[in-house]
């Protein structure tokens, strides 16, 4: 939670960009304005600092200095986070207009340089990052060595927000939300399956219902993930209740729980392909209709004109998804 035609003589490759907590391709905004926008989307200074990979004190200092300069309070400090004041909403609207203008300028400058160079921001769910994406990014890099891919890895809900806020040009989402502002460029089937250790009582089953898994200790994906939304939809109206012993946004942790603790977790085979190949885990198909319909989808914001670099990457990923 898959290859394109290679060139006859591909240019020498360089190492893939490291995965970043916050998209490194930043809009051309003053730092204070960028930080304030991230605070608003994250809901707190602490969460904003985690997304930015910057100390919370530095983020808070930028906010305080901006409030002092304007002579206005930009956020209400609430027990469970922060909410923009009327002044904050006005400033945020200005920031987002400015971002749109600077991103338009960035695209125009990239077009002048040609589609062989540029930068593209891509969001991935962890299943894609652990599975097919390493090979796809490497093959893309060999075809387009002048394009820098800035990659962010997190849950589908967060990635959808980042695409809609135009912080990401493209994202691979698992079970993407049905929002009119999201445009699906390509997709492939990725049904959610029950994942257990080879010796587990369910390991020999040809297929299962989700409710049958609840007789065992269960580890669930975190709330903001596409997989969790599918599980809750599959149990809607059922008398069975979800009572997990573990919730996590890490597929690796969930897989370890299944392999070592005798429990059940739920994942697409995409994110645990290596563990399945090594015989460390067994994936049993689930026949609940919502889980069978799950997909991995490449999305962009509807109406946004993609940069030449992003267009090249989107075409490269779309070919692979249609073949998956």
């Amino acid at each position: 939670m898959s290859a394109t035609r290679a060139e006859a003589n591909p240019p020498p490759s360089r190492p893939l960009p490291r995965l970043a907590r916050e998209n490194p391709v930043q809009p051309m905004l003053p730092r204070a304005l960028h930080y304030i926008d991230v605070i608003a989307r994250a809901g707190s200074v602490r969460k904003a600092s985690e997304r930015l990979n910057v100390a919370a004190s530095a983020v808070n200092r930028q906010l305080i200095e901006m409030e002092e300069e304007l002579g206005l309070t930009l956020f209400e400090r609430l027990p469970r986070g922060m909410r923009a004041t009327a002044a904050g909403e006005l400033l945020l609207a200005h920031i987002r207009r400015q971002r749109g203008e600077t991103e338009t300028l960035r695209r125009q400058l990239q077009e002048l340089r040609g589609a062989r160079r540029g930068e593209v921001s891509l969001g991935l769910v962890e299943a894609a990052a652990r599975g097919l994406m390493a090979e796809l990014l490497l093959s893309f890099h060999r075809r387009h060595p002048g394009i820098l891919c800035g990659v962010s890895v997190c849950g589908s809900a967060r990635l959808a927000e980042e695409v809609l806020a135009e912080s990401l040009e493209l994202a691979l989402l698992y079970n993407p939300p049905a929002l009119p502002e999201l445009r699906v460029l390509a997709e492939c089937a990725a049904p959610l399956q029950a994942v257990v250790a080879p010796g587990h009582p369910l390991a020999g089953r040809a297929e299962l219902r989700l409710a049958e898994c609840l007789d065992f200790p269960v580890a669930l994906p975190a709330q903001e993930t596409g997989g969790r939304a599918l599980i809750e939809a599959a149990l809607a109206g059922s008398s069975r209740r979800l009572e997990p012993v573990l919730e996590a946004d890490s597929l690796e942790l969930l897989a370890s729980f299944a392999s070592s603790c005798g429990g059940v977790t739920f994942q697409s085979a995409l994110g645990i392909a290596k563990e399945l190949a090594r015989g460390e885990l067994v994936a049993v198909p689930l026949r609940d209709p919502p889980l069978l319909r799950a997909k991995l989808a490449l999305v962009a914001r509807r109406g946004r004109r993609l940069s030449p670099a992003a267009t090249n990457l989107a075409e490269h990923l779309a070919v692979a998804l249609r073949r998956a």
Side-chain angles (χ1 to χ4, degrees):
M1 67 250 181
S2 59
T4 56
R5 185 180 61 192
E7 292 181 343
N9 294 295
S13 63
R14 61 185 181 188
L16 286 174
R18 64 183 178 86
L19 299 182
R21 300 177 77 178
E22 177 74 11
N23 166 30
V25 184
Q26 302 291 358
M28 293 181 287
L29 286 172
R31 180 181 300 174
L33 297 184
H34 179 54
Y35 284 11
I36 287 168
D37 186 37
V38 177
I39 291 170
R41 288 187 284 117
S44 73
V45 169
R46 179 184 60 80
K47 290 181 180 178
S49 74
E50 292 173 356
R51 294 190 183 186
L52 292 162
N53 200 19
V54 173
S57 59
V59 177
N60 194 50
R61 184 169 59 252
Q62 292 285 346
L63 171 59
I64 291 171
E65 289 177 357
M66 179 60 70
E67 288 181 325
E68 289 177 348
E69 179 180 341
L70 297 175
L72 293 166
T73 300
L74 298 175
F75 290 93
E76 294 180 68
R77 278 69 168 177
L78 304 173
R80 294 189 177 182
M82 300 172 69
R83 182 174 60 202
T85 62
E89 292 289 355
L90 286 173
L91 181 59
L92 288 167
H94 166 75
I95 291 170
R96 288 161 187 173
R97 284 194 303 270
Q98 188 171 344
R99 173 188 283 123
E101 292 172 359
T102 55
E103 286 301 311
T104 298
L105 174 60
R106 186 194 297 276
R107 289 194 296 270
Q108 291 171 342
L109 293 173
Q110 287 182 358
E111 288 168 0
L112 290 175
R113 291 187 298 176
R116 293 181 302 169
R117 301 192 61 81
E119 299 175 348
V120 55
S121 54
L122 171 68
L124 301 176
V125 290
E126 189 184 356
R130 297 186 82 228
L132 75 167
M133 282 308 300
E135 179 184 346
L136 289 179
L137 286 177
L138 180 59
S139 61
F140 178 78
H141 169 72
R142 286 173 173 162
R143 293 177 64 87
H144 303 280
I147 295 177
L148 170 66
C149 295
V151 180
S152 297
V153 180
C154 53
S156 288
R158 158 88 184 278
L159 290 175
E161 292 176 2
E162 298 295 321
V163 169
L164 296 180
E166 299 196 2
S167 298
L168 294 172
E169 287 192 270
L170 300 169
L172 270 172
L173 307 185
Y174 188 69
N175 188 39
L179 300 174
E181 300 93 340
L182 282 181
R183 179 165 62 106
V184 176
L185 306 177
E187 61 187 18
C188 69
L192 204 65
Q193 302 186 52
V195 178
V196 295
H200 193 279
L202 299 178
R205 297 283 297 273
E207 61 180 15
L208 291 165
R209 286 282 188 184
L210 178 60
E212 297 178 81
C213 302
L214 303 186
D215 295 327
F216 300 89
V218 166
L220 292 181
Q223 290 283 353
E224 66 271 14
T225 61
R228 180 61 174 269
L230 284 171
I231 292 166
E232 293 179 349
L235 284 178
S238 169
S239 60
R240 299 300 302 268
R241 293 183 58 192
L242 281 172
E243 296 181 349
V245 300
L246 173 68
E247 290 185 346
D249 59 3
S250 166
L251 296 191
E252 185 173 358
L253 180 58
L254 294 174
S256 295
F257 173 86
S259 64
S260 305
C261 300
V264 185
T265 190
F266 308 96
Q267 297 188 24
S268 161
L270 289 172
I272 53 170
K274 293 180 181 178
E275 290 86 347
L276 294 174
R278 293 194 296 260
E280 298 169 0
L281 292 170
V282 174
V284 182
L286 291 162
R287 53 195 178 98
D288 305 76
L291 309 184
L292 291 171
R293 293 193 293 266
K295 294 180 179 180
L296 184 68
L298 177 67
V299 304
R301 181 182 174 91
R302 189 175 300 278
R304 180 177 185 178
R305 183 183 178 190
L306 296 178
S307 67
T311 299
N312 278 335
L313 181 59
E315 291 172 353
H316 184 81
L317 298 181
V319 169
L321 288 175
R322 293 179 186 124
R323 291 177 178 173

